[in-house]
Amino acid sequence: LLQAQVPPGVSTTPHKDGIKLETKQLAPRYLSTDVRAHTTSPYSSSTLPVPYLPSARAASVFPSPPGPSVSGSSNADRARRLQQCRPTTLYHCTALSNAQAILRQKQFYAGNHGFIGPGIYFSRNPESARRYCQCRAPGPRVVLQCEVKLGNIKPALKGHRGTGRELLAEGCDSYEEMNRDSLMLPDNRDGQIDMDSVHISY
């Protein structure tokens, strides 16, 4: 027979199938009624040792890497969408030195801060662009006029940190801040800004 340690308060009596354990410490409803074992347990089911079970596979515990949602789109979907999109005339305010570099290099660089996250900011009105300009470079400010393919626009509240990944997952291509004439592209990797159209407006 296997040796087992009998808990305090439990009596043992000989039985034809082995040893019978009895206790009066628990109400009858907590005692085992397994007629095959002919034993009663001094422990409730909530205190019985729990057998070890291997942990679930990582895929069921941790979310999958971010990707397009059911209503989202792929890079190919975006390319087709933007190809059919009509450009919108928008305005971008910056320092004169920055504007000259943009025209010379034919490239916009996303800022590190903004109303709805890091990105390239525009306004539909040139005065709004000048008013909301957050450029920190010294020198006079100028306004660039650009043709931009906004595609599907996602509204966002001030303080939201928009990203290109979020736009792609939701089938959108640009952000527009609610209650402000402020639009944002996280970057220009999809060529949404027609760099040949960019010029200093005033």
Side-chain angles (χ1 to χ4, degrees), residues 48-201:
L48 290 174
V50 179
Y52 169 78
L53 294 176
S55 59
R57 295 179 63 184
S60 63
V61 177
F62 302 101
S64 301
S69 64
V70 174
S71 61
S73 63
S74 65
N75 288 314
D77 293 331
R78 169 175 284 177
R80 286 191 294 268
R81 188 166 57 244
L82 293 176
Q83 189 175 11
Q84 301 171 0
C85 175
R86 294 176 61 88
T88 301
T89 301
L90 299 177
Y91 300 90
H92 174 87
C93 183
T94 187
L96 175 60
S97 58
N98 288 347
Q100 292 170 336
I102 291 171
L103 294 173
R104 182 174 62 254
Q105 300 172 13
K106 289 188 176 295
Q107 185 173 359
F108 273 91
Y109 292 95
N112 295 323
H113 56 88
F115 296 125
I116 48 179
I120 307 167
Y121 280 79
F122 301 92
S123 294
R124 299 181 187 274
N125 184 288
E127 292 300 330
S128 298
R130 187 177 290 274
R131 182 183 308 117
Y132 302 139
C133 176
Q134 297 185 13
C135 174
R136 298 178 181 179
R141 300 299 188 255
V142 296
V143 176
L144 293 172
Q145 182 175 316
C146 320
E147 297 298 314
V148 183
K149 290 187 175 182
L150 295 172
N152 292 341
I153 302 173
K154 175 179 172 61
L157 291 171
K158 181 181 179 181
H160 179 79
R161 286 188 65 83
T163 64
R165 178 176 292 181
E166 180 186 57
L167 287 177
L168 188 65
E170 298 190 18
C172 295
D173 309 297
S174 59
Y175 289 98
E176 183 166 17
E177 184 182 353
M178 300 173 66
N179 305 316
R180 194 196 304 265
D181 181 12
S182 178
L183 301 103
M184 186 268 278
L185 302 178
D187 51 58
N188 192 36
R189 69 180 64 187
D190 293 316
Q192 291 173 253
I193 307 170
D194 179 3
M195 296 306 302
D196 291 332
S197 73
V198 179
H199 62 278
I200 295 177
S201 178

